Amino acid sequence: MFGCCQEPNTPGHRVMKLFAKVTRMQRSVIASRVKQTGVYRSQHQILMYIALNPDASQKDIARMHEVSTATIAVSLKKLEKGGYIRRVVDTLDNRCNRLQVTEKGQQVVDQSHEIFLNTEKEIFGGFTEDDFQALERLLARVYRNMEQMNGGSCKETDTDEKQLEEKERNLT
């Protein structure tokens, strides 16, 4: 039994604390490096989404971020004012605008990809293929456990998670 101010010292608790620290540190490292692009973090995420999903709508972006379209509107206005994106009226529905990355926005996207690649190389410096396979397998198992805790399905249906599960099946 633990006292009111005593943290458990179980392997799971230690790993959870370390995982939280790693997540915060990764977010901090990426944020500090992406800052050099001149685009704020939330705007950056939206810009990258539009680059990967040309002709996305404001509604698409809001759905992906699980926020209201009004919340996304502010970032879109700033990105548009900064010259990073443009709105194009949908030819089938005049009420809907499709979002596209401008040349200036594409420069930020390209710079960001380079930042991400370099950061990834630094973060995983010295890792072997076996290290990656073991880490992927363990994280896939943690993810599946958490997915079960969440009622068997998670809102994220990213291809990354599907690929991770496929690798897990192939490794076992």
Side-chain angles (χ1 to χ4, degrees):
M1 184 135 191
F2 300 103
C4 70
C5 298
Q6 199 175 14
E7 273 192 7
N9 190 24
T10 63
H13 184 76
R14 289 192 307 269
V15 168
M16 290 294 287
K17 277 184 72 172
L18 183 57
F19 186 76
K21 282 175 70 173
V22 166
T23 301
R24 283 191 304 272
M25 182 60 75
Q26 185 259 359
R27 207 174 281 142
S28 174
V29 166
I30 293 290
S32 69
R33 291 180 178 197
V34 166
K35 190 183 281 185
Q36 66 185 283
T37 66
V39 178
Y40 292 106
R41 186 173 158 255
S42 61
Q43 296 169 356
H44 187 267
Q45 291 173 337
I46 292 169
L47 181 63
M48 298 301 282
Y49 180 83
I50 295 169
L52 290 171
N53 301 278
D55 294 326
S57 70
Q58 185 171 328
K59 190 181 282 188
D60 296 334
I61 297 167
R63 198 175 309 127
M64 190 273 297
H65 279 83
E66 297 179 352
V67 296
S68 70
T69 53
T71 301
I72 295 298
V74 175
S75 292
L76 289 176
K77 282 181 186 174
K78 289 180 181 176
L79 285 167
E80 187 175 27
K81 186 177 179 182
Y84 299 104
I85 64 166
R86 68 176 154 263
R87 297 173 197 254
V88 178
V89 177
D90 188 312
T91 55
L92 300 176
D93 184 356
N94 291 340
R95 298 168 298 165
C96 183
N97 286 312
R98 296 293 168 189
L99 302 163
Q100 297 174 347
V101 174
T102 64
E103 188 176 322
K104 182 179 179 180
Q106 189 60 49
Q107 289 173 355
V108 170
V109 169
D110 294 343
Q111 183 182 9
S112 298
H113 283 297
E114 194 67 31
I115 290 168
F116 296 151
L117 280 173
N118 291 335
T119 302
E120 184 180 304
K121 286 177 187 174
E122 288 179 65
I123 288 173
F124 293 108
F127 275 56
T128 65
E129 187 59 36
D130 287 344
D131 293 337
F132 281 118
Q133 288 179 359
L135 187 56
E136 281 182 313
R137 184 176 44 79
L138 293 169
L139 288 174
R141 199 155 114 202
V142 168
Y143 183 85
R144 280 196 311 277
N145 289 345
M146 291 173 71
E147 192 175 41
Q148 287 300 314
M149 294 166 61
N150 200 30
S153 67
C154 187
K155 290 181 182 178
E156 285 191 21
T157 55
D158 248 13
T159 53
D160 288 347
E161 278 85 18
K162 290 178 182 176
Q163 288 172 350
L164 200 58
E165 289 173 13
E166 182 63 30
K167 285 182 181 180
E168 163 68 11
R169 281 192 292 277
N170 291 338
L171 292 172
T172 54

